[in-house]
Amino acid sequence: MKILVPIKRVPDSDTRIRVKSDGSGIVTDGVKFSVNPFDAIAVEQALRLKESGAATEVVLVSLGNEECVESLRVGLAMGADRAVLVRVDTALDSLGVAKLLAGLYRREQPGFVLMGKQAIDDDSNQAGQMLAGLLGIGQATFVSKLDLIEGGTRARCGRETDAGIEIVEVQLPAVITTDLRLNEPRYVSLPGIMKAKKKPVEELPAAELASDITPRTQILSFEAPAGRKAGVKVRSVDELIDRLKNEAKVL
Amino acid sequence: MATLLVIAEHERGQLKLATEAAIAFARQVIAVEGGTFHILVAGEEIGRVVERLQGHGATSILTAENPALKDPLAERLAPVIAQAARSLQAGLIVAASTTFSKDILPRAAALLDAGMASDVIAVVPDPSGTRFKRVLHAGNVIALLRLEGSIRCVTVRSGAFATPERNAAPSAVAPLAMDYQSLPGSSTFVSREERPSGRPDATEARIVVSGGRALKDSGDFERLVGGLADTLGAAVGSSRALVDSGITPNSLQIGQTGKVVAPELYIAVGISGAIQHMAGMKDTKIIVAINKDPDAPIFEVADYGLVADVYQAVPEMIGKLSKR
Ligand SMILES: Cc1cc2nc3c(=O)[nH]c(=O)nc-3n(C[C@H](O)[C@H](O)[C@H](O)COP(=O)(O)OP(=O)(O)OC[C@H]3O[C@@H](n4cnc5c(N)ncnc54)[C@H](O)[C@@H]3O)c2cc1C
Ligand SMILES: Nc1ncnc2c1ncn2[C@@H]1O[C@H](COP(=O)(O)O)[C@@H](O)[C@H]1O
């Protein structure tokens, strides 16, 4: 069984994001880019399934410009078999992402798609659900526990919801999106990096996969949120209680 | 003129209050664009939820009541939403930013070939078409955007839209025409973990007491964070660090990838204040931080900071507050 894992290149979660003074975007100079953390978790899970014999091939895909190859190489160094760069030089929204992934899904016919629940740059949390909807297949989102059952024809998933963990079973093929607790991605090793250099990265033009990917979500400008000012340091529990009661009036 | 469709969320026969933010959003859009709004309630045994939605001024409350919708499965609820949107010729679908809507609405959007904006916090009138503001990059950036196309989907943050008054005339209740037999069955719902305590949900509480890595185990969390919360009638929350170490359930997590809360008072107990955590609580009215490290980033956003060991300060607080 083949597992398709989409990965997005995003600013590293440790970098402080700042908005450009003209509001046209975020400052990218000096910003370190990484594989979206939820996508790294998806790669890790796919590799574990391959190592356990449940899967046979792990195929990565990234949508964007040639800089995304760097992220694909990270996934290949972790152990994925091959990668596809779908070349897109314009802005994409999650619907556009889902349409391109649906096109690639039809070409690759994977056993299922394993992807991040959310890209930590746009924080949309949409693409996986949209992909499942476009393909008319099942979905399990925000998954922190994943077991293939019934000879790999179904997946039993623990989902992280606002009310707690929910268990669902879904027929494969399906789209499964990852939450942070699913696993801890492995580090890339030096031999892994060497091997990754020889693994194939195919490049595909977006037009081969979907006809209309013009974003429906048109971003007009960006701004920084109103900052909070640091307040006061209180000296004791008594002072804290007194201020909360008599100054802030919240107790 | 817009026709809006609000998706009601409910759990165990009770309306989730976050739905009211979606209603407040709908009313704001109507104030700008003109038009009407309808509410869709889908599930099994939804009578009480429908009753609770009366008085908000919806033109109609559409009901999709069927055993096939007993459990919140996206593959079944998304086609129901799409059908409701088509039958009303809705131009905008709105739901609250919760895991329920995040699971279902993007799928419905795909079925309708609609663009979608998550975590909307404001409606901005504009002659060329209503604009929205939404939060991204873990709360560090706000985008102003427009959704193109004849149908738009949004989820809204509950803290950003004030609870609307409930004094309008009753809405007509009408069943949605839907072929429930045709709904897919590739997913099955197995079980749901029971909510761990009788405490309120952090997204609905006036006060939230939240704990971080300073708490060594679940006993300490319960005694200090739970104890302080109970003294104040508050909800509990936690940082991701405690969820990862298994001390708290994921349903308590506050932050970029957990719940977003904006209560009147947030007490951060032994939380450092990582960007990802602050993304979930920095719109709180009053933030209190208790941390032994005077340089912890949480103090940069706290209205009141107490540099102290939580193992000393919190029991003292519980003692002094219970004597009131
Ligand atoms: C993609 C991604 C998403 C994430 N999403 C979230 C999210 O949604 N929510 C979230 O919370 N995190 C999230 N995180 C994790 C986040 O980056 C931090 O690691 C986490 O918030 C840290 O939790 P903490 O403050 O409890 O722990 P720490 O950072 O370890 O801080 C513990 C604090 O407790 C203080 N302390 C220790 N002992 C005591 C004592 N006895 N008395 C007083 N103070 C004491 C210390 O001084 C320290 O400041 C995410 C990370 C990533 C990469
Ligand atoms: N440009 C992209 N290339 C590959 N995968 C993507 C891209 N954008 C989004 N994704 C995938 O979709 C998931 C959800 O993204 P989003 O809907 O933007 O939050 C991510 O975790 C990725 O797995």
Side-chain angles (χ1 to χ4, degrees):
Chain A
M1 177 163 61
K2 183 196 290 184
I3 305 177
L4 182 63
V5 185
I7 58 181
K8 185 175 188 184
R9 180 178 182 270
V10 297
D12 190 88
S13 60
D14 285 337
T15 53
R16 177 116 221 163
I17 298 297
R18 283 175 304 121
V19 177
K20 283 187 191 157
S21 54
D22 66 357
S24 64
I26 63 154
V27 178
T28 50
D29 283 351
V31 170
K32 184 185 160 212
F33 282 79
S34 301
V35 172
N36 183 41
F38 294 97
D39 302 351
I41 291 168
V43 175
E44 174 65 35
Q45 199 65 24
L47 292 174
R48 291 186 188 182
L49 287 167
K50 189 181 166 193
E51 284 153 7
S52 75
T56 50
E57 192 184 18
V58 178
V59 181
L60 309 177
V61 53
S62 195
L63 321 173
N65 62 19
E66 72 281 339
E67 289 176 327
C68 300
V69 172
E70 191 192 346
S71 309
L72 291 171
R73 293 273 175 220
V74 173
L76 292 172
M78 285 172 73
D81 297 289
R82 62 186 172 87
V84 181
L85 170 69
V86 177
R87 188 62 198 241
V88 187
D89 292 301
T90 50
L92 279 172
D93 62 4
S94 298
L95 188 64
V97 168
K99 286 179 178 176
L100 290 169
L101 292 177
L104 189 68
Y105 175 94
R106 294 195 181 96
R107 276 170 79 121
E108 292 280 346
Q109 299 285 324
F112 67 102
V113 183
L114 194 53
M115 59 198 278
K117 74 164 180 179
Q118 126 188 22
I120 63 158
D121 52 358
D122 63 48
D123 279 339
S124 286
N125 197 328
Q126 299 172 3
Q129 299 88 309
M130 287 176 164
L131 173 63
L134 292 177
L135 295 171
I137 59 178
Q139 70 183 55
T141 50
F142 329 142
V143 168
S144 59
K145 190 157 192 330
L146 171 62
D147 293 300
L148 297 189
I149 55 171
E150 293 173 27
T153 57
R154 290 172 80 75
R156 192 182 172 91
C157 304
R159 304 182 53 228
E160 295 201 357
T161 76
D162 288 343
I165 304 283
E166 197 179 283
I167 312 288
V168 295
E169 280 181 21
V170 54
Q171 183 85 41
L172 300 183
V175 176
I176 295 175
T177 76
T178 61
D179 217 317
L180 290 178
R181 250 198 312 172
L182 183 59
N183 62 47
E184 281 255 6
R186 67 195 66 187
Y187 289 103
V188 296
S189 64
L190 198 56
I193 295 171
M194 299 313 288
K195 269 196 218 149
K197 288 190 176 145
K198 293 191 208 84
K199 291 180 182 172
V201 180
E202 178 192 1
E203 190 174 319
L204 276 179
E208 279 191 26
L209 299 177
S211 48
D212 177 21
I213 50 166
T214 326
R216 303 291 164 78
T217 318
Q218 288 286 349
I219 298 192
L220 306 163
S221 63
F222 296 90
E223 61 183 290
R228 278 188 90 101
K229 279 202 215 70
V232 293
K233 290 249 172 73
V234 294
R235 280 172 305 266
S236 64
V237 167
D238 285 322
E239 186 189 345
L240 177 61
I241 294 175
D242 178 63
R243 291 222 191 207
L244 289 176
K245 272 190 196 158
N246 302 315
E247 192 177 75
K249 299 192 173 22
V250 286
L251 287 187
Chain B
M1 295 280 272
T3 301
L4 282 90
L5 176 62
V6 174
I7 310 303
E9 178 175 349
H10 52 93
E11 197 185 284
R12 300 194 175 92
Q14 295 281 347
L15 181 74
K16 295 288 285 177
L17 293 182
T19 306
E20 293 188 336
I23 293 171
F25 167 90
R27 288 184 167 190
Q28 276 193 29
V29 172
I30 289 167
V32 173
E33 299 185 358
T36 56
F37 77 97
H38 304 256
I39 305 175
L40 173 68
V41 189
E44 198 191 29
E45 292 172 28
I46 53 178
R48 278 227 308 268
V49 179
V50 171
E51 211 38 56
R52 180 66 181 69
L53 287 162
Q54 289 293 4
H56 278 303
T59 303
S60 77
I61 300 178
L62 269 182
T63 58
E65 191 162 18
N66 193 278
L69 304 178
K70 178 170 173 282
D71 301 309
L73 289 171
E75 65 174 32
R76 296 191 176 187
L77 286 165
V80 171
I81 292 172
Q83 170 71 12
R86 287 193 198 101
S87 72
L88 294 166
Q89 295 188 306
L92 211 171
I93 309 178
V94 54
S97 285
T98 57
T99 52
F100 169 83
S101 312
K102 286 176 184 170
D103 184 41
I104 292 164
L105 199 56
R107 187 171 176 119
L111 300 180
L112 293 161
D113 196 26
M116 174 162 168
S118 306
D119 295 309
V120 167
I121 54 163
V123 176
V124 184
D126 191 88
S128 67
T130 310
R131 298 168 169 194
F132 305 112
K133 284 188 178 179
R134 65 169 297 255
V135 189
L136 53 165
H137 284 287
N140 286 308
V141 180
I142 293 173
L144 179 67
L145 62 95
R146 198 171 50 226
L147 286 169
E148 310 285 354
S150 57
I151 180 153
R152 302 164 284 173
C153 293
V154 304
T155 59
V156 296
R157 285 227 171 140
S158 56
F161 295 92
T163 311
E165 299 247 358
R166 240 184 353 132
N167 49 15
S171 314
V173 178
L176 173 72
M178 179 84 208
D179 172 16
Y180 294 104
Q181 300 288 320
S182 69
L183 293 177
S186 67
S187 316
T188 45
F189 184 88
V190 179
S191 62
R192 181 186 293 115
E193 183 183 74
E194 287 305 307
R195 196 182 281 286
S197 74
R199 295 189 185 113
D201 188 296
T203 56
E204 294 177 357
R206 197 179 68 83
I207 303 179
V208 177
V209 182
S210 202
R213 199 170 344 239
L215 285 313
K216 303 262 172 310
D217 55 43
S218 52
D220 288 355
F221 181 85
E222 192 41 44
R223 187 165 54 85
L224 299 180
V225 178
L228 182 55
D230 291 345
T231 310
L232 296 169
V236 291
S238 95
S239 74
R240 181 85 216 175
L242 292 192
V243 178
D244 283 338
S245 56
I247 293 174
T248 53
N250 75 286
S251 53
L252 295 193
Q253 185 191 328
I254 309 289
Q256 180 189 17
T257 54
K259 286 179 185 169
V260 176
V261 299
E264 275 181 45
L265 174 63
Y266 188 93
I267 306 181
V269 176
I271 294 177
S272 63
I275 291 167
Q276 292 88 0
H277 185 80
M278 304 224 267
M281 44 66 82
K282 66 181 171 162
D283 292 327
T284 297
K285 200 165 140 240
I286 300 289
I287 296 175
V288 169
I290 308 173
N291 195 308
K292 67 179 179 191
D293 172 8
D295 298 322
I298 190 80
F299 287 126
E300 290 162 27
V301 300
D303 299 280
Y304 301 106
L306 178 63
V307 179
D309 187 323
V310 297
Y311 281 86
Q312 266 143 29
V314 176
E316 184 184 342
M317 267 184 98
I318 296 173
K320 289 183 168 154
L321 287 166
S322 3
K323 276 204 234 92
R324 284 190 298 167

